[in-house]
Amino acid sequence: ILKKDGTSEKMDIEELYQALERNRDNSSFYAEIEKIQLLYPLKKLKEIRIVDTPGIETITAANQETTKEFIKKADVVLWVLSVHHLGQVGIDEELMEVAECGKPIIMLVNRIDQANENTEDIMDFIDDMYGFYVEAAFPVSGFKAFEGKKSGNDTLYNESGLVEILNYLEK
């Protein structure tokens, strides 16, 4: 955790999640944070820098401004949606605003392994709803990617969809 005052705090991933959970409703905790940096030895990430921003529709105007500043500097915008919230949240205006910045938008539908519907049907829905704004869309399981990498299970990692995304970004 890199703080705005220049100090930092190192911890493993479980400690980080616990700290974030403990401070879930503590806005002053988050106000002190410049960024949270997760380091993991993925070979492809040495060539690609991914920044996870607070998002467009966030709790504070400062978070929204931070996100907009990163979008201006980005080469590509990865728009992450949870498969559990498809069709529930209207994001058309936000997508249009980001598209107007002239940046390619790649949509990632996360938690695809938890979907009740067929993946092909979900991706058809994404194409119908957002295809005008996005250059490409990918189903992904962050859980499978993390667990596969952590346990050395290449099959699980390859099933996650992350390999396709990284290859697409690299090209």
Side-chain angles (χ1 to χ4, degrees):
I1 299 177
L2 305 169
K3 297 187 177 178
K4 292 178 181 174
D5 67 5
T7 62
S8 65
E9 197 177 333
K10 289 186 179 186
M11 58 190 69
D12 68 31
I13 192 75
E14 287 303 319
E15 291 170 323
L16 174 63
Y17 287 149
Q18 290 170 6
L20 296 176
E21 184 60 34
R22 269 194 319 272
N23 291 285
R24 178 183 291 260
D25 298 321
N26 182 357
S27 60
S28 62
F29 172 80
Y30 292 98
E32 296 173 3
I33 296 174
E34 178 69 30
K35 65 181 173 179
I36 296 175
Q37 191 172 32
L38 299 175
L39 303 174
Y40 199 84
L42 286 178
K43 190 176 182 181
K44 291 210 183 256
L45 290 183
K46 290 183 178 182
E47 302 157 11
I48 298 171
R49 177 178 283 178
I50 297 176
V51 177
D52 184 10
T53 66
I56 296 292
E57 287 294 315
T58 64
I59 295 172
T60 68
N63 281 351
Q64 191 162 334
E65 219 28 64
T66 297
T67 298
K68 288 180 179 182
E69 287 303 313
F70 272 109
I71 289 170
K72 289 176 188 174
K73 298 174 189 173
D75 294 319
V76 175
V77 174
L78 299 178
W79 194 291
V80 182
L81 294 175
S82 169
V83 75
H84 298 299
H85 301 289
L86 298 180
Q88 295 177 3
V89 179
I91 59 170
D92 294 353
E93 285 183 37
E94 290 82 11
L95 259 175
M96 185 171 51
E97 186 177 328
V98 172
E100 287 173 356
C101 291
K103 311 293 179 157
I105 300 171
I106 311 301
M107 190 165 280
L108 309 180
V109 182
N110 195 22
R111 297 182 172 207
I112 200 70
D113 53 315
Q114 298 174 359
N116 295 326
E117 294 84 24
N118 176 300
T119 299
E120 189 174 316
D121 292 342
I122 292 168
M123 298 314 292
D124 286 344
F125 172 80
I126 293 296
D127 187 49
D128 290 345
M129 292 295 292
Y130 310 115
F132 180 77
Y133 302 110
V134 303
E135 183 175 296
F138 295 90
V140 65
S141 168
F143 175 79
K144 283 186 176 183
F146 180 73
E147 287 298 317
K149 206 56 163 163
K150 184 172 80 172
S151 66
N153 183 335
D154 289 338
T155 302
L156 193 59
Y157 179 74
N158 290 333
E159 287 174 1
S160 73
L162 185 61
V163 173
E164 290 83 4
I165 295 163
L166 292 173
N167 286 338
Y168 185 88
L169 292 172
E170 192 172 45
K171 289 177 184 165

